[in-house]
Amino acid sequence: MTEAMLKRYKVWDAPTRLFHWVNFTTVLLLILVGLLMIYKKDIGITSLEAKIAIKEIHILIGYIFTLNLLIRLVWGFVGNRFARWSRIVPGKGFGAVLSGYIASIRSGNPQQFLGHNPLGRLAVVALMLMLMTQAVTGLVRAGTDVYYPPFGAMFAAQVAADGVNPASLKPYDKTGVDAAKLKALGAFKGPFGEVHLYTAYALILLILLHIAAVVRAEISEGGGMVSAMFSGSKTLSKQPEDLDD
């Protein structure tokens, strides 16, 4: 392959690239802190203060993660054409595009795309759904567990005993709390915690599969997929399938 046959295309705009790396960093940190929360007893973390502090760190990182995700959701409607949901979410005719891409891989002459390839589009949709699930369930548990915004004040008001100022309640402290209401809140928040935990496991698996797929595509298709998330540009050796989309 001669250098003259290569052509450079501007693909990812700055906000999309920024989202990617902020998301990568916050998700990695959330996973690490989450594992710390799960295995706290095994590593000798037993004090209530330490447990609450770890959860608060998890929540604060979660706020950055959620804000970044919200910005990306909006950017999918106003960003450049490669950042838009219309170029990512499968629509009419996607089945044929996906079949053609898979056939090209099997033939040993994989198609090249400026944006996400068809399998990448499916992965992005799955990832975004999981990320949104984590954001919603995480915010609910932040409110029920330590009375953090945006739902904390509402949940504190629900469990406060008669005549007690909800703002005076402290995490994991039953002082000023109505026992029956606290039990009801526990039943409410349980499913959110389970969904949050098991979606996190599924997210880890999908991230590993995503990384493996990127490595495969980088080797077999080229284009500099990883470097493009830094530079914003791809260098392709053939006519991209989505050049005129």
Side-chain angles (χ1 to χ4, degrees):
M1 187 69 63
T2 62
E3 188 174 346
M5 298 175 65
L6 302 177
K7 187 171 181 179
R8 190 173 178 86
Y9 300 87
K10 189 68 177 178
V11 179
W12 306 120
D13 54 28
T16 300
R17 303 198 308 273
L18 181 61
F19 160 78
H20 180 274
W21 294 115
V22 172
N23 187 66
F24 171 82
T25 303
T26 53
V27 168
L28 179 60
L29 291 174
L30 287 169
I31 290 172
L32 293 176
V33 178
L35 291 173
L36 192 62
M37 291 165 60
I38 293 172
Y39 297 106
K40 54 185 178 291
K41 289 184 179 179
D42 300 294
I43 58 178
I45 299 175
T46 57
S47 72
L48 179 60
E49 292 78 9
K51 294 177 183 178
I52 294 175
I54 294 172
K55 181 160 289 191
E56 288 176 332
I57 291 171
H58 189 76
I59 292 169
L60 293 176
I61 298 170
Y63 284 150
I64 300 173
F65 158 80
T66 301
L67 178 60
N68 187 55
L69 181 61
L70 286 173
I71 292 172
R72 178 63 182 95
L73 290 173
V74 172
W75 195 251
F77 297 101
V78 299
N80 78 359
R81 64 189 180 111
F82 300 107
R84 298 198 174 215
W85 300 123
S86 59
R87 294 291 298 267
I88 297 174
V89 178
K92 184 178 180 181
F94 177 76
V97 174
L98 177 61
S99 297
Y101 176 63
I102 293 175
S104 74
I105 294 175
R106 290 174 175 171
S107 72
N109 185 30
Q111 297 172 337
Q112 292 185 328
F113 291 82
L114 290 175
H116 295 288
N117 65 46
L119 289 177
R121 290 170 62 183
L122 292 176
V124 170
V125 170
L127 281 169
M128 292 301 293
L129 289 174
M130 288 186 182
L131 295 176
M132 287 188 286
T133 298
Q134 290 302 85
V136 172
T137 55
L139 289 174
V140 170
R141 286 303 298 253
T144 58
D145 293 356
V146 291
Y147 308 127
Y148 267 42
F151 306 118
M154 178 183 70
F155 289 126
Q158 288 182 7
V159 299
D162 292 341
V164 173
N165 181 4
S168 68
L169 300 184
K170 298 180 180 179
Y172 300 98
D173 186 343
K174 295 183 180 180
T175 303
V177 173
D178 185 294
K181 293 178 181 178
L182 184 63
K183 183 177 180 180
L185 182 63
F188 167 80
K189 74 178 186 178
F192 285 91
E194 291 185 8
V195 170
H196 194 73
L197 177 62
Y198 290 110
T199 301
Y201 289 145
L203 183 60
I204 292 171
L205 176 60
L206 187 56
I207 289 172
L208 293 175
L209 292 174
H210 176 63
I211 292 172
V214 168
V215 171
R216 181 210 63 79
E218 188 81 35
I219 294 172
S220 64
E221 300 171 25
M225 295 177 66
V226 176
S227 63
M229 273 300 166
F230 290 99
S231 68
S233 299
K234 284 185 175 182
T235 303
L236 304 182
S237 59
K238 63 180 73 171
Q239 176 91 350
E241 299 296 319
D242 54 349
L243 179 62
D244 300 320
D245 287 358

